[in-house]
Amino acid sequence: KQEVTQIPAALSVPEGENLVLNCSFTDSAIYNLQWFRQDPGKGLTSLLLIQSSQREQTSGRLNASLDKSSGRSTLYIAASQPGDSATYLCAATTNAGKSTFGDGTTLTVKP
Amino acid sequence: KAGVTQTPRYLIKTRGQQVTLSCSPISGHRSVSWYQQTPGQGLQFLFEYFSETQRNKGNFPGRFSGRQFSNSRSEMNVSTLELGDSALYLCASSRDGGPGELFFGEGSRLTVL
């Protein structure tokens, strides 16, 4: 059974800092890994999708990497802003299309 | 292009009642999956439908059921509601038959009294 863990559970940083969020998964037989952002009481917004054959994806200030062999993915946020404050979740999806989500990292960026 | 639409956004029910939630996927998307999100359990997978067929199912009791229509719209039903069913129910759609990028709706917030 796939288990996905996100560390840390919460993170508080001053504006402008670069930061890394971690996601680990127990079963490396994944099809893709997706990072999401969730604002309080809202749905999930897709940030980046990494296929199993890829090593990383970039979108603006965000960069996500994937290391299947070690069961890890990281989300790098450059030059953080208060608007980045949210909960970030990762999801590992199998070939059969079943997705397992981590519990998320709640990020607070202080002005 | 419209996103994933979930209705209703908020609803309050009492124990023992039943509820039906609706999800309209992004136009052209044929896969719809449902998730329950609670503070204690996080995001848990309920089931996934593709071309009107349930393709995957999570570990929820039979009180939770779903279906998908020919236009890809999906509904989920919870019968005999319990207090523990209070949660944010999220629907996600993806385009292809294989596992693809998930796009979520805003969710339906269910409160059971």
Side-chain angles (χ1 to χ4, degrees):
Chain A
K1 178 188 172 187
Q2 177 76 277
E3 292 182 3
V4 178
T5 304
Q6 292 188 247
I7 294 174
L11 181 63
S12 181
V13 300
E15 182 177 4
E17 270 205 8
N18 302 324
L19 58 102
V20 174
L21 306 181
N22 297 293
C23 171
S24 61
F25 46 94
T26 55
D27 185 353
S28 61
I30 62 170
Y31 187 84
N32 64 46
L33 188 132
Q34 194 168 355
W35 283 92
F36 298 87
R37 166 190 173 133
Q38 186 175 30
D39 293 291
K42 301 287 189 178
L44 279 65
T45 300
S46 177
L47 296 174
L48 290 165
L49 173 74
I50 312 176
Q51 302 292 353
S52 61
S53 58
Q54 298 174 320
R55 295 285 293 184
E56 65 179 280
Q57 283 286 343
T58 298
S59 176
R61 295 183 293 109
L62 305 179
N63 176 277
S65 66
L66 175 64
D67 184 344
K68 276 184 58 177
S69 61
S70 66
R72 292 180 184 175
S73 176
T74 61
L75 179 66
Y76 175 82
I77 302 177
S80 58
Q81 303 170 358
D84 295 331
S85 297
T87 297
Y88 291 81
L89 297 101
C90 65
T93 301
T94 66
N95 289 348
K98 189 168 182 181
S99 298
T100 304
F101 285 76
D103 288 336
T105 295
T106 299
L107 172 66
T108 302
V109 181
K110 299 176 181 177
Chain B
K1 191 171 180 180
V4 178
T5 304
Q6 291 189 245
T7 57
R9 290 291 315 281
Y10 303 92
L11 65 167
I12 300 173
K13 294 285 187 178
T14 57
R15 280 181 299 174
Q17 287 187 312
Q18 73 164 13
V19 65
T20 299
L21 309 177
S22 178
C23 172
S24 294
I26 291 171
S27 179
H29 285 198
R30 297 165 62 191
S31 170
V32 173
S33 50
W34 288 89
Y35 298 83
Q36 181 196 65
Q37 188 176 35
T38 59
Q41 299 295 320
L43 239 163
Q44 293 191 291
F45 172 74
L46 281 156
F47 28 65
E48 184 222 356
Y49 287 87
F50 178 78
S51 292
E52 303 179 63
T53 300
Q54 187 180 86
R55 188 163 62 174
N56 284 301
K57 189 177 187 305
N59 298 319
F60 277 80
R63 299 185 298 107
F64 292 81
S65 63
R67 60 178 175 168
Q68 186 179 34
F69 302 95
S70 59
N71 62 358
S72 294
R73 188 178 71 87
S74 177
E75 289 181 348
M76 68 162 282
N77 183 76
V78 187
S79 62
T80 319
L81 284 167
E82 301 176 0
L83 295 179
D85 296 333
S86 295
L88 180 66
Y89 289 88
L90 292 163
C91 162
S93 75
S94 63
R95 185 174 56 188
D96 301 320
E101 187 171 6
L102 296 174
F103 296 88
F104 280 83
E106 291 293 325
S108 292
R109 171 76 62 185
L110 171 65
T111 301
V112 182
L113 302 177

